């Protein structure tokens, strides 16, 4: 009997926000500065430094969540994702685990005149890592003579958008990615440039016998830097995977798909999954630096996102997006109230000054 | 008193304002005392002669101009070496940070400087504040001024010994499971852990973020209140900093305890507590009753599990907090063929055995599959402890117990058995789990002439009632800034 397989695709998207300051400190979050100039004790992970969440970033993730029809958590929480990597200053990433800011949304896409509803599992807030530049050995960490680190990007607000496995073809995946980019651009919260990495797509693909609900062994396609490469890489994996009957896991011995498929930044830890509770050795817990202190009842903790205020100057028109995100017009307050509000202890980073009244970084 | 170094902070501040002494003279007396005692005590890791002299000179000039910037103006203060100081080496007692010079000041340090305090130097501690005897320091132990063959307690042993010996008039410590109160008890000084969030943790090198709190170590309750007033306050750089009112803590002193309801914690007043300590504490309780307080025994059943919960929660948090010491950006680096090898070698060489033990414990407790049965259970116990306290405070204003089950023990007597060292914290840990304030006040000496500490606990933000009772305990005990034999009058200091 011939079993016919169908692909099941889910996409994780990372979007760097273009806030003025970084996620947990007052350093500029912008690109283009000389290496290690937009840094301070917090984003360098110096001993004693503590994170303070960026209010603006939380407002913007709420805007993204609303545009994707998500539920917004009334209280949210940050966790630490623990793993050692030289470009990660604290050797843990502040991320979210069981209480993301946004959950349970959807995005409708169109391919070949057919509409598909892609459910959004969650949209959560985290921080970016620094950049490692490997010198010598063709730029790969294994063969490099030495490596250079630039922490300007460390701590830049990063929004992760995770879909349910609702996509069935590489074409749909591409359409989803393009639509999501359009929304983010419409909100004006990110440059969303694939080639610069300010928007990055990872896809999970597996095959299953047509008509069944089971999920097969999944393969990860990471850090695609163009829509075309996302579509091509998925088509390649589906083809390769299909020939192995949908049971084949990714193995290091598999022929590489050019440079598109490899996450060169993470060669040394390739194959290790950082999803939170999954693998032994991967730990996550509430970041106690970001919880409310004693005597501060949650009802009085900082209110954020009364309604998202996004930089309309930068935003592009896109039908329905602004309305859904509660931006502009008289209906916005109602929209946000219906969706609920998110409370995290965050604050306007313009208040962040050091003991001598200077703004961070103290330069 | 034979030396300016033996004045209380309040006496020194009054003399400064009256123009009877200068900040430079106070500093000189303090540095002279350090010169005399440091060879035996090793309370300091770094003494900043130059910086302190400049600060004292500046304080004196301000006094001449008629400007006094605060209650600590011109006062020599010591800082535990796990609080970062701009331009001054900060090691947290660890070899992994040997030679590390921070580029910024902790918020509490900034507050001291703003108040005109003269920072003498950085005091010794158990590595990363993990320990109860200061023997875990990567730079050698500190001795107790009352008997230099004994430990000063820990982890803020250097600060407690310096204040007791007169090489600082007041000091900052940090308290994660008793690290201010227990050494204060063993050294015969006052040590206070404020409510979690009252003093900014920004710049305090983190051990266990949900438990760490900076607080004062001083000679008197009033001096502790004065020091707390300076360092307490909202800090936008610490997201867990308290945002409400900060009262003038000294205002609550001297009001007596008449009408207050005081609960003696039954679980911390029997088994495992040395007879001398129990006797001294009972006598204090009697005098509180005589002073008009309603004293009754109260049971907090969860106390017996608090220690076990703490030794899961604290290592779990430290395992993440100490991950940043990897040799990449600062501190010690031991080279290796790869980044991973370099990091592993650096950490193996830089961390001492107790820190390594706790990182391993914590990593295990947090690992997938064990998280719920260890860390999850410990968090449940923590909730029970908080509930027990909440219930008790419905009927009591404060709770009391001994600070430490025993007085200062001999150097080396517990280092071979970590568990026996952990038991030293049994009375102090519950307040950290609850995030509530607690203070240790010296109340007498045991048969061997070693100080005994009495602990008072209050609900979160209950600093005023806490200090009010502490002042009465101090008065009733007749301690009166008693000096250790090392620096007693007979030494001709």
């Amino acid at each position: 009997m011939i079993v016919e397989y169908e692909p099941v695709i889910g996409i994780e998207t990372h979007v760097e926000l273009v806030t003025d300051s970084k996620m947990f400190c007052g350093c500029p979050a912008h690109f283009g500065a000389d290496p290690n100039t937009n840094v301070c004790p917090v984003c360098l992970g110096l001993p004693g430094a503590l994170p303070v969440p960026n209010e603006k970033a939380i407002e913007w993730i709420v805007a993204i969540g609303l545009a994707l029809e998500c539920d917004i958590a009334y209280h949210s929480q940050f966790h630490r994702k623990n793993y050692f990597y030289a470009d990660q200053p604290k050797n843990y990433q502040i991320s979210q685990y069981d209480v993301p800011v946004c959950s349970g949304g959807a995005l409708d896409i169109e391919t070949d005149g057919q509409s598909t509803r892609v459910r959004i599992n969650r949209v959560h807030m985290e921080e970016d890592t620094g950049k490692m530049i490997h010198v010598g050995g063709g730029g790969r960490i294994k063969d490099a003579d030495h490596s250079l680190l630039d922490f300007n990007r460390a701590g830049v607000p990063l929004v992760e958008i995770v879909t349910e496995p609702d996509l069935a073809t590489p074409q749909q995946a591409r359409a989803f990615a393009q639509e999501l980019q359009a929304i983010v651009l419409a909100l004006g919260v990110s440059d969303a440039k694939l080639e610069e990495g300010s928007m990055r797509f990872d896809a999970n693909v597996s095959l299953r016998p047509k008509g069944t609900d089971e999920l097969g062994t999944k393969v990860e396609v990471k850090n695609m830097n163009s829509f075309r490469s996302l579509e091509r890489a998925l088509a390649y994996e589906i083809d390769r995977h299909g020939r192995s009957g949908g049971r084949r896991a990714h193995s290091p011995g598999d022929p590489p798909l050019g440079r598109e498929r490899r996450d060169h930044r993470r060669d040394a830890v390739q194959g290790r999954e950082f999803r939170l509770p999954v693998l032994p050795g991967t730990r996550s817990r509430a970041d106690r630096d970001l919880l409310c202190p004693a005597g501060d009842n949650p009802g009085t903790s900082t209110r954020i996102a009364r309604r998202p205020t996004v930089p309309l100057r930068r935003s592009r028109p896109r039908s329905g997006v602004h309305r859904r995100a509660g931006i502009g017009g008289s209906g916005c307050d109602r929209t946000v109230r219906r969706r609920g509000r998110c409370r995290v202890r965050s604050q306007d980073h313009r208040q962040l000054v050091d003991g001598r009244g200077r703004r961070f970084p103290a330069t | 008193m034979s030396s300016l170094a033996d004045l209380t902070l309040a006496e020194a501040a009054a003399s400064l304002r009256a123009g009877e002494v200068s900040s430079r003279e106070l500093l000189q007396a303090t540095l002279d005392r350090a010169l005399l005692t440091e060879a035996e005590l090793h309370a300091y890791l770094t003494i900043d002669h130059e910086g302190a002299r400049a600060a004292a000179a500046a304080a004196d000039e301000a006094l001449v101009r008629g400007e006094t910037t605060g209650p600590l103006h011109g006062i020599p203060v010591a800082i535990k070496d796990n609080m970062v100081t701009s331009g001054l080496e900060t090691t947290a007692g660890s070899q992994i940070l040997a030679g590390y010079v921070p580029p910024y000041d902790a918020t509490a340090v900034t507050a001291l400087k703003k108040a005109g305090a003269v920072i003498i130097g950085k005091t010794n501690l158990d590595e990363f504040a993990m320990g109860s005897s200061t023997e875990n320091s990567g730079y050698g132990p500190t001795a107790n001024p009352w008997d230099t063959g004994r430990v000063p307690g820990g982890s803020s042993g250097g600060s407690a010994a310096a204040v007791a010996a007169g090489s600082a008039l007041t000091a900052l410590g940090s308290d994660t499971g008793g690290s201010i109160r227990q050494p204060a008890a063993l050294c015969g000084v006052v040590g206070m852990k404020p409510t979690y969030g009252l003093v900014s943790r920004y710049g305090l090198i983190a051990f266990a973020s949900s438990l760490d709190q900076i607080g004062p170590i001083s000679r008197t309750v009033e001096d502790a209140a004065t020091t707390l007033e300076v360092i307490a306050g909202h800090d936008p750089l610490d997201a867990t900093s308290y945002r409400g009112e900060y009262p003038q803590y000294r205002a609550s002193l001297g009001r007596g305890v008449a009408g207050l309801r005081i609960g003696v914690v039954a679980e911390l007043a029997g088994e495992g507590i040395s007879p001398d300590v129990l006797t001294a504490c009972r006598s204090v309780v009697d005098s509180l009753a005589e002073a008009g307080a309603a004293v009754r025994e109260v049971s907090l059943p969860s106390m017996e599990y608090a220690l076990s919960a703490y030794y899961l929660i604290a290592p779990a948090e430290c395992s993440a907090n100490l991950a940043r010491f990897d040799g990449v950006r600062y501190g010690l680096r031991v080279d290796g063929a790869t980044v991973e090898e370099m990091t592993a070698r650096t950490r193996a060489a830089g961390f001492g055995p107790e820190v390594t033990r706790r990182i391993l414990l914590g990593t295990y407790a947090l690992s997938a599959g064990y998280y719920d049965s260890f860390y999850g259970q410990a968090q449940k116990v923590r909730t029970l402890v908080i509930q027990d306290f909440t219930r008790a405070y419905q009927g009591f204003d404060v709770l009391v117990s001994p600070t430490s089950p025993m007085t200062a023990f001999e150097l080396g007597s517990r280092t071979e058995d970590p568990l026996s060292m952990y038991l030293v914290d049994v009375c102090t840990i519950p307040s950290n789990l609850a995030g509530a304030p607690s203070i240790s006040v010296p109340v007498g000496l045991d048969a061997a002439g070693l100080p005994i500490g009495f602990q008072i606990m209050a609900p979160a933000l209950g600093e005023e009632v806490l200090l009010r009772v502490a002042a009465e305990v101090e008065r009733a005990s007749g301690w009166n800034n008693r000096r250790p034999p090392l620096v007693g009058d007979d030494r001709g200091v």
Side-chain angles (χ1 to χ4, degrees):
Chain A
M1 194 182 97
I2 294 166
V3 183
E4 217 181 316
Y5 290 96
E6 65 179 1
V8 182
I9 302 167
I11 294 182
E12 290 173 17
T13 309
H14 284 93
V15 179
E16 277 177 350
L17 300 183
V18 285
T19 46
D20 290 337
S21 57
K22 292 186 180 180
M23 188 59 221
F24 296 106
C25 63
C27 289
H30 306 143
F31 286 103
D34 286 340
N36 297 311
T37 51
N38 290 343
V39 293
C40 76
V42 176
C43 57
L44 282 176
L46 296 192
L50 295 173
V52 178
N54 185 340
E55 194 168 80
K56 185 62 77 184
I58 308 272
E59 282 188 17
W60 288 4
I61 190 178
V62 169
I64 293 173
L66 291 172
L68 296 172
E69 301 182 35
C70 291
D71 293 322
I72 308 300
Y74 197 75
H75 293 277
S76 193
Q77 197 177 57
F78 287 104
H79 274 70
R80 295 175 177 180
K81 203 156 95 178
N82 298 276
Y83 63 95
F84 281 84
Y85 207 86
D87 64 8
Q88 180 163 249
K90 303 181 291 299
N91 286 316
Y92 59 80
Q93 179 193 32
I94 302 178
S95 180
Q96 296 198 279
Y97 175 41
D98 50 358
V99 203
V101 176
C102 321
S103 55
L107 179 62
D108 294 320
I109 55 160
E110 223 168 87
T111 41
D112 302 328
Q114 280 225 307
S115 179
T116 308
R117 193 159 181 82
V118 182
R119 288 169 301 154
I120 304 294
N121 174 285
R122 60 191 279 150
V123 180
H124 76 242
M125 193 79 241
E126 56 188 34
E127 56 178 344
D128 214 339
T129 61
K131 269 185 181 161
M132 236 175 157
I133 300 127
H134 306 299
V135 181
R140 285 182 304 275
I141 190 169
K142 256 177 74 181
D143 310 317
D145 174 56
H146 63 276
S147 300
L148 299 171
L149 283 160
D150 176 7
F151 290 103
N152 282 352
R153 197 182 65 177
V156 166
L158 202 57
V159 168
E160 183 174 325
I161 301 158
V162 183
T163 73
E164 299 289 354
D166 287 352
L167 297 149
T169 65
Q171 294 74 30
Q172 284 182 1
R174 178 179 184 155
F176 171 84
Q178 284 173 327
E179 181 64 18
L180 192 58
Q181 184 198 43
I183 286 175
V184 167
L185 288 172
L187 293 172
V189 297
S190 172
D191 294 336
K193 287 182 183 160
L194 275 62
E195 64 280 12
E196 286 179 10
S198 59
M199 191 167 199
R200 321 195 265 269
F201 298 98
D202 303 340
N204 285 308
V205 57
S206 62
L207 296 185
R208 68 179 170 204
K210 209 163 184 168
T212 64
D213 283 341
E214 67 178 288
L215 293 175
T217 311
K218 71 179 181 186
V219 172
E220 241 195 345
V221 177
K222 286 181 79 72
N223 271 12
M224 296 296 102
N225 60 5
S226 72
F227 295 119
R228 197 170 134 264
S229 62
L230 174 70
E231 189 177 342
R232 276 186 48 201
L234 280 170
Y236 172 88
E237 285 297 346
I238 289 164
D239 180 50
R240 189 175 63 82
H241 213 49
R243 280 184 271 117
S244 70
R247 287 289 175 277
R248 181 168 173 182
H250 173 83
S251 79
D254 289 339
L257 179 70
R259 57 189 174 84
E260 289 165 338
R261 214 192 58 183
R262 299 222 76 81
D263 176 4
H264 64 272
R265 238 172 27 86
R266 301 238 166 247
D267 269 351
V269 284
Q270 192 81 12
R272 186 166 159 194
E273 178 78 19
F274 299 125
R275 284 317 126 230
L276 298 160
V278 186
L279 288 183
T282 305
R283 295 165 293 133
S284 167
R285 59 170 195 82
D287 191 328
R288 306 301 300 215
D289 287 336
L290 295 167
L291 294 182
C292 297
D296 194 21
N297 91 59
T300 62
S301 66
T302 323
R303 188 195 69 242
I304 60 115
R306 307 155 290 280
R307 74 166 122 148
T309 50
V310 299
L312 284 168
R313 185 172 42 83
R314 239 190 335 247
S315 74
R316 300 182 191 173
R318 182 92 186 164
S319 151
V321 168
H322 289 155
R323 183 181 49 74
R324 280 206 300 278
I327 298 155
S330 58
C332 56
D333 281 341
R334 200 178 60 245
T335 311
V336 175
R337 208 171 299 130
R338 186 164 51 78
R339 297 271 182 209
R341 294 186 297 205
C342 180
R343 284 163 195 268
V344 180
R345 263 188 89 101
S346 62
Q347 72 181 45
D348 188 336
H349 276 182
R350 282 169 297 187
Q351 292 173 19
L352 284 191
V353 289
D354 71 5
R356 278 159 287 183
R358 298 183 306 203
R359 267 202 66 181
F360 273 107
T363 46
Chain B
M1 289 292 163
S2 53
S3 159
L4 293 176
D6 292 308
L7 295 178
T8 65
L9 161 53
E11 290 164 350
S15 299
L16 270 172
R17 271 193 296 274
E20 294 160 11
V21 296
S22 66
S23 177
R24 272 170 291 201
E25 288 169 315
L26 273 180
L27 176 66
Q28 195 53 53
T30 312
L31 290 174
D32 287 348
R33 180 60 60 82
L35 199 62
L36 187 75
T37 55
E38 270 304 288
E40 277 173 282
L41 292 185
H42 189 230
Y44 284 92
L45 292 176
T46 307
I47 293 184
D48 183 18
H49 289 93
E50 203 177 313
R53 289 216 162 86
D60 283 337
E61 283 164 29
L63 277 165
V64 169
R65 289 195 303 270
E67 302 162 10
T68 53
T69 49
L72 290 184
H73 188 95
I75 302 291
V77 180
I79 295 171
K80 187 178 182 180
D81 201 34
N82 61 349
M83 289 167 233
V84 300
T85 41
S86 181
L88 188 62
E89 184 177 355
T90 301
T91 66
S94 180
Q95 287 291 343
I96 210 161
L97 279 177
Y100 174 66
V101 179
Y104 75 106
D105 276 327
T107 299
V109 172
T110 305
L112 287 178
K113 287 182 175 174
K114 266 189 185 160
V118 174
I119 292 165
I120 311 163
K122 310 295 292 290
T123 55
N124 199 9
L125 67 155
D126 288 298
E127 184 177 5
F128 287 106
M130 296 177 200
S132 309
S133 68
T134 317
E135 291 166 294
N136 294 337
S137 168
Y139 301 89
T142 293
N144 191 315
W146 292 82
D147 177 346
T148 52
R150 291 175 186 268
V151 303
S155 65
S156 310
S159 282
V163 171
S167 49
L169 260 63
T170 187
L172 299 192
S174 69
D175 192 313
T176 306
S179 279
I180 287 174
R181 292 160 287 160
Q182 187 260 5
L186 269 49
C187 289
V189 292
V190 175
M192 178 175 179
K193 182 201 97 70
T195 300
Y196 184 78
L198 211 65
V199 180
S200 169
R201 289 185 296 115
Y202 191 77
L204 171 67
I205 299 176
F207 160 18
S209 309
S210 75
L211 302 163
D212 297 342
Q213 185 57 207
I214 294 173
I217 295 178
S218 311
R219 303 244 181 83
T220 67
V221 173
E222 184 188 357
D223 292 355
T226 304
T227 309
L228 179 62
E229 272 174 31
V230 169
I231 57 174
H234 176 66
D235 179 12
L237 296 176
D238 175 358
T240 62
S241 171
Y242 174 63
R243 295 181 182 220
E245 296 289 311
Y246 289 84
Q248 292 291 301
Y249 299 108
R250 276 174 292 176
S252 53
L253 305 177
R255 285 165 54 198
V257 293
L260 289 181
R261 300 161 303 168
I262 297 175
V264 179
V265 180
E267 285 77 4
L268 305 178
E271 210 182 321
I273 314 281
S274 94
D276 279 5
V277 171
L278 274 185
T279 308
C281 290
R282 286 205 180 110
S283 140
V284 173
V285 167
D286 290 344
S287 62
L288 288 171
E290 279 165 34
V295 182
R296 275 193 300 127
E297 193 165 89
V298 58
S299 173
L300 281 77
S302 65
M303 292 296 129
E304 66 170 303
Y305 306 109
L307 189 81
S308 313
Y310 173 87
Y311 276 102
L312 280 170
I313 292 169
E317 295 188 11
C318 100
S319 70
N321 281 328
L322 270 58
R324 67 186 61 192
F325 302 104
D326 56 8
V328 173
R329 282 147 298 127
Y330 46 76
L332 181 72
R333 174 186 291 176
V334 181
D335 280 330
T338 63
V339 177
E340 291 76 26
E341 193 177 281
M342 181 272 286
T343 295
R345 284 182 179 177
T346 299
R347 289 168 68 82
F351 290 139
E354 182 60 26
V355 169
T356 304
R357 182 179 297 119
R358 295 199 195 188
I359 290 173
L360 290 173
L361 266 174
T363 306
Y364 184 71
L366 282 183
S367 55
Y370 299 97
Y371 185 94
D372 287 338
S373 49
F374 293 123
Y375 192 70
Q377 287 295 322
Q379 289 292 9
K380 283 180 194 159
V381 172
R382 186 171 192 175
T383 306
L384 290 178
V385 169
I386 293 169
Q387 285 170 352
D388 264 7
F389 272 121
T390 307
R391 212 172 297 124
Y393 286 127
Q394 285 167 359
F396 296 94
D397 297 297
V398 297
L399 303 177
V400 299
S401 77
T403 306
S404 165
M406 71 290 286
T407 53
F409 43 93
E410 284 173 13
L411 282 157
S413 63
R414 285 171 187 259
T415 40
E416 296 306 310
D417 181 2
L419 203 58
S420 78
M421 190 71 91
Y422 294 173
L423 286 169
V424 170
D425 303 327
V426 68
C427 303
T428 46
I429 277 171
S431 296
N432 297 85
L433 292 178
S438 175
I439 191 168
S440 176
V441 181
V443 291
L445 301 176
D446 70 359
L450 299 166
I452 294 167
F454 183 80
Q455 179 177 240
I456 309 153
M457 296 166 268
L461 300 171
E463 271 75 12
E464 287 168 289
V465 68
L466 185 79
L467 288 162
R468 189 176 151 193
V469 177
E472 178 60 29
V473 168
E474 183 179 54
R475 194 197 62 76
S477 72
W479 182 261
N480 192 26
N481 188 21
R482 197 165 174 165
R483 317 301 304 129
L486 180 69
V487 297
D489 294 333
D490 54 325
R491 291 275 300 239
V493 174

